[in-house]
Amino acid sequence: MTNLLISLFIKNKDHVEDSNVRNAYGKMAGIVGIMCNLFLFAGKFFAGVITGAISITADAFNNLSDAASSIITLVGFDMAGKPADKDHPFGHGRMEYVSGLVVSLLILMMGVELFKSSVEKVLHPEVISEQWISYMILVVSIFVKFWMYMFNRSIGWKIHSETMKATASDSLNDCVSTAAVFGGMLIFHYFHLNVDGVVGIVVACFVLWGGYESVRDTLNPLLGESPDPELVTKIKEMVLRHEMVIGVHDIVVHDYGPGRRIVSLHAEVPATENIMEVHDVMDHIEMRLMEEYHCEATIHMDPVVTNDEEVTETKKEVQDLVKGYDPDLSIHDFRMVKGPTHTNVIFDLLIPYGKKYQQEKVVEDIKKKVKEEMPGNHYAVIRVDRGEQY
């Protein structure tokens, strides 16, 4: 069914890097979600009314919130597809993340309300009545929600959408919660035990957990999460494939929404190379990054002395000192300035995230080690970077 819908409604379905194709996927998924969830809400609400079961009614309103979420998803994809303008030069791609966050917050709010209603039913239980049609509605709902899980997951992975993946996760949680409601009705039928309120609490917990996971997955891109290590590795490998480049560091990836990345990095090149030729190579690399990874790149050229044995040997000595202090530390942009009384060794020190060091202490310790342990009169001039080594 999923492939049939894609074939019918998505033109150029395999060109998912095209923002128009991507938005078409999102809009189709939103419309399907609205229709399916309204259908399930109507059926479950009817079943809840005729049986008096709070668990079924709670599950019905859970589906109604899902329908509202689908509407927000639909609007989010539509807004995310707008081109860049004067006020938003990097486009509107992050609206997809915003819509995903709104969906997640709605799920959490619904979970809280369901939990409160279910606790009330535990404290003040009411008689429920059995109706065979309610069993049928619940079974159909489980199958529909499982199909929606497969449908949304497939699209989420295809277009790399955290919003669609969050929607898929919510659909799977709905399967489990509806199965719990169905199980509670069977317990009432065979053992005459009214566990309606308890099952309602279980359903609410599933809804709350799904909402929490969705908030986490959609909030991280908005706050600025670490780039995908696989993408960083591929970028580094591509840059280093050019013979003129002898090192890469300070790779930064800015995410302005799916399909909208801006990358900056430092490329080390021999200081003896012709600057015009180096500039031409950097332009070529930037174009290749756009073609292969659909990211706009800005490359900073770092000239490195490669034909001076003293500089090479001194750099190795400093690297060994830094690694001896902590293997997780690293240096780059190394250079030397020799004077009549002393020699300055100038470099950037990279301290990875998560290190509990006091930055000032690390700098002073390494300066002291350079002065005391290196032959000659050497002084370290250090600039600190915080981040990850790529």
Side-chain angles (χ1 to χ4, degrees), residues 22 25-26 29 73 77 96-97 99-101 103-104 107 148-174 209-211 213-218 221 225 228 258 261:
R22 196 173 184 283
Y25 271 102
T73 299
F77 269 96
E96 183 180 332
Y97 300 147
S99 67
L101 181 60
V103 168
S104 304
I107 293 171
M148 290 179 67
Y149 158 70
M150 299 294 291
F151 173 76
N152 289 313
R153 187 185 69 163
S154 175
I155 292 179
W157 282 107
K158 191 174 185 67
I159 66 174
H160 307 291
S161 169
E162 292 301 326
T163 299
M164 295 310 305
K165 292 176 185 177
T167 303
S169 176
D170 183 47
S171 296
L172 186 60
N173 287 336
D174 288 346
W209 178 252
E213 289 189 323
S214 298
V215 167
R216 180 193 62 196
D217 292 339
T218 55
E225 62 184 345
D228 180 4
R261 295 192 190 98

Side-chain angles (χ1 to χ4, degrees), residues 154-389:
S154 175
I155 292 179
W157 282 107
K158 191 174 185 67
I159 66 174
H160 307 291
S161 169
E162 292 301 326
T163 299
M164 295 310 305
K165 292 176 185 177
T167 303
S169 176
D170 183 47
S171 296
L172 186 60
N173 287 336
D174 288 346
C175 279
V176 177
S177 62
T178 303
V181 173
F182 184 72
M185 295 297 292
L186 290 178
I187 291 173
F188 179 76
H189 175 78
Y190 288 106
F191 302 101
H192 305 291
L193 293 175
N194 189 346
V195 293
D196 185 41
V198 175
V199 173
I201 291 175
V202 173
V203 172
C205 288
F206 272 108
V207 173
L208 288 169
W209 178 252
Y212 161 75
E213 289 189 323
S214 298
V215 167
R216 180 193 62 196
D217 292 339
T218 55
L219 192 58
N220 284 341
L222 286 172
L223 293 176
E225 62 184 345
S226 298
D228 180 4
E230 183 179 354
L231 174 64
V232 173
T233 299
K234 289 179 178 178
I235 290 174
K236 187 173 183 179
E237 289 175 349
M238 172 187 281
V239 177
L240 289 174
R241 282 202 295 268
H242 294 77
E243 293 183 2
M244 189 178 290
V245 180
I246 59 178
V248 178
H249 59 85
D250 285 352
I251 299 177
V252 179
V253 181
H254 298 279
D255 185 351
Y256 289 94
R260 179 65 170 171
R261 295 192 190 98
I262 296 180
V263 176
S264 64
L265 59 91
H266 290 220
E268 297 177 354
V269 298
T272 54
E273 294 288 346
N274 181 284
I275 191 170
M276 296 301 293
E277 292 180 5
V278 174
H279 184 270
D280 184 64
V281 170
M282 297 302 119
D283 280 349
H284 176 69
I285 295 173
E286 289 173 354
M287 288 187 291
R288 287 291 308 280
L289 288 171
M290 172 60 79
E291 292 170 359
E292 292 199 22
Y293 302 114
H294 304 280
C295 56
E296 296 182 21
T298 300
I299 301 178
H300 175 80
M301 177 196 69
D302 283 339
V304 177
V305 176
T306 58
N307 58 352
D308 188 318
E309 291 185 6
E310 183 181 0
V311 172
T312 302
E313 183 62 29
T314 303
K315 179 180 179 181
K316 184 179 184 307
E317 291 176 3
V318 173
Q319 286 177 327
D320 290 342
L321 284 175
V322 171
K323 290 294 183 182
Y325 185 86
D326 187 331
D328 291 333
L329 301 180
S330 61
I331 68 170
H332 56 80
D333 285 350
F334 182 90
R335 56 196 185 278
M336 289 175 56
V337 178
K338 300 181 67 173
T341 61
H342 67 279
T343 298
N344 283 338
V345 289
I346 306 166
F347 57 89
D348 288 3
L349 177 69
L350 180 62
I351 303 177
Y353 293 123
K355 285 291 179 181
K356 302 301 182 182
Y357 287 140
Q358 293 182 2
Q359 181 173 304
E360 295 79 7
K361 184 178 185 305
V362 176
V363 171
E364 289 304 316
D365 287 348
I366 292 177
K367 283 183 176 181
K368 184 177 180 181
K369 288 174 72 70
V370 169
K371 183 177 180 181
E372 294 178 351
E373 299 183 25
M374 290 186 64
N377 199 16
H378 289 81
Y379 290 86
V381 179
I382 302 173
R383 186 175 77 99
V384 175
D385 284 344
R386 279 282 186 177
E388 299 297 329
Q389 182 176 6

Side-chain angles (χ1 to χ4, degrees), residues 37-64 114 131 133-134 137-138 141 178 181:
N37 282 306
L38 286 178
F39 167 74
L40 293 177
F41 165 74
K44 288 180 184 177
F45 184 75
F46 172 73
V49 169
I50 63 175
T51 61
I54 183 62
S55 57
I56 299 180
T57 304
D59 211 23
F61 278 96
N62 183 29
N63 290 141
L64 184 61
L114 295 179
Q131 302 288 338
I133 194 172
S134 64
I137 290 172
L138 291 175
S141 175
T178 303
V181 173

